[in-house]
Amino acid sequence: MGHDHGHGHGHGHGHGHGAAADGRRLTVALGITALVLVSGAVGAAITGSLSLLADLGHQVTDVAALVMAVVAARLAQRPPSARRTFGLGRSEVLGAAVNALALLAVTVWVAVEAVERLLADAPPEVPGVALLIFGAVGLVGNLISLAVLSGGSGSLNVRGAALHVLGDALGSVAVMVAAGVLLLTGWPYADVVASLVIVAILVPRTVGLLSTTAHVLLEGAPPGVDVEEVRAALLAVPGVREVHDLHVWVISDRTPAASAHLVVDDGTTSHCEGRADDGSVLDRAAAALREEFGLDHSTLQIETPEHADHEEHCPSPPVRVAVNDPVTPRQS
């Protein structure tokens, strides 16, 4: 997935371009999905099919998801302001989280309805030919939307929207299989079973997206970045004695950031001739973060041992294994 870290020329500029292209792709996918939604609504009304209804439920959340994703991609292009110094990049992550919650709610509702139909004496009769036609219309629309979205930047926002559309495409396949079984065998439970298959496909994907967005919103470390390795890299910079208050997090899934206090040797920050050294320690530390971990956005504070002794430190987090949510690939 092509992530734009904007090396060498304005990171925000690169991010704006990625979000703008995403916005266009999402808008096209939104138009197609809205048409599929209308056909699905007609189909569910005519056939009374639960698998079409399950698919329709996903299409409704898809349209809502794509609307949110389009708005989020537009907001993410806005430059930072005095009130929002990081800009609105995180609106994409919020959009993805809301989408995942909506999809989870729909899948639970369909599962409950399916169980009720399975326990009923006789499930409602569903016409197989009509089911096949509406399933095919849905599948074609979803595949076009997926093709449009797959060319995007791979941001969380686009991934969240594509997940919805993928769920729909799989749903349309399940609807068509149910129609085939109905036409060939007349087995009355085919439609209900298909709706449960749709639920089973979607739940793990939705939970995965929720955990990824939660990790970003809870200021988790970027995937593939071990905070203890970052600490070791800073300690390896000549002149650095100690590292404390080290934080590594992601502002949005495109923008990792870091901050730390570096305690340096007394000689390094002497008031007369030491200023050049002071700058070079900062430069070397920032370069290490940028080159080894792809952390372009770093805020480093230089301190003398005496200053560090009088400071109240935030407790360092315990050593832990890096979380591997697929959000940003580690930069080489």
Side-chain angles (χ1 to χ4, degrees):
M1 294 191 297
H3 282 259
D4 180 351
H5 277 286
H7 284 291
H9 51 261
H11 182 97
H13 180 70
H15 176 239
H17 275 314
D22 286 354
R24 285 192 294 275
R25 290 178 182 280
L26 288 161
T27 306
V28 173
L30 173 59
I32 297 165
T33 309
L35 290 172
V36 172
L37 170 65
V38 173
S39 90
V42 172
I46 291 172
T47 62
S49 155
L50 184 60
S51 59
L52 259 185
L53 200 59
D55 216 21
L56 182 64
H58 290 145
Q59 285 161 19
V60 171
T61 55
D62 275 2
V63 169
L66 286 163
V67 167
M68 268 189 288
V70 168
V71 170
R74 295 268 180 272
L75 288 176
Q77 292 169 64
R78 293 191 179 178
S81 66
R83 270 191 73 213
R84 295 193 178 88
T85 55
F86 281 122
L88 291 166
R90 199 164 261 195
S91 59
E92 292 184 296
V93 184
L94 273 173
V98 173
N99 288 342
L101 284 169
L103 196 50
L104 204 56
V106 170
T107 48
V108 169
W109 174 73
V110 170
V112 170
E113 178 69 20
V115 170
E116 282 181 4
R117 285 197 182 187
L118 282 174
L119 295 175
D121 293 337
E125 277 196 26
V126 178
V129 177
L131 201 55
L132 192 62
I133 293 166
F134 287 110
V137 169
L139 181 62
V140 171
N142 296 143
L143 290 178
I144 296 169
S145 293
L146 268 180
V148 169
L149 291 176
S150 66
S153 69
S155 74
L156 258 186
N157 192 34
V158 172
R159 273 178 52 210
L163 254 185
H164 275 268
V165 178
L166 175 66
D168 257 0
L170 295 170
S172 297
V173 170
V175 167
M176 291 172 74
V177 170
V181 172
L182 269 172
L183 289 170
L184 293 171
T185 67
W187 188 52
Y189 291 101
D191 178 57
V192 181
V193 171
S195 67
L196 285 171
V197 168
I198 297 171
V199 168
I201 288 166
L202 280 158
V203 168
R205 286 181 167 76
T206 310
V207 170
L209 183 63
L210 262 181
S211 78
T212 304
T213 51
H215 184 72
V216 174
L217 294 173
L218 294 170
E219 309 288 358
V225 175
D226 185 330
V227 178
E228 289 312 309
E229 284 179 23
V230 176
R231 188 185 301 278
L234 288 172
L235 283 169
V237 173
V240 175
R241 263 196 198 184
E242 190 191 324
V243 175
H244 62 88
D245 289 308
L246 171 63
H247 299 284
V248 186
W249 72 101
V250 267
I251 295 155
S252 80
D253 57 306
R254 302 170 204 252
T255 317
S259 68
H261 294 195
L262 309 179
V263 181
V264 296
D265 293 324
D266 273 341
T268 319
T269 53
S270 66
H271 289 292
C272 311
E273 70 285 348
R275 283 286 155 224
D277 285 343
D278 193 7
S280 69
V281 168
L282 264 179
D283 291 342
R284 283 196 294 262
L289 292 179
R290 190 167 53 248
E291 287 157 20
E292 290 183 44
F293 304 99
L295 294 165
D296 296 343
H297 298 254
S298 59
T299 308
L300 301 171
Q301 178 173 320
I302 297 283
E303 297 174 355
T304 60
E306 301 85 70
H307 177 90
D309 288 340
H310 295 297
E311 250 199 353
E312 277 190 35
H313 301 323
C314 296
S316 285
V319 178
R320 62 184 184 80
V321 180
V323 179
N324 290 319
D325 305 332
V327 190
T328 11
R330 180 163 173 180
Q331 291 253 320
S332 52

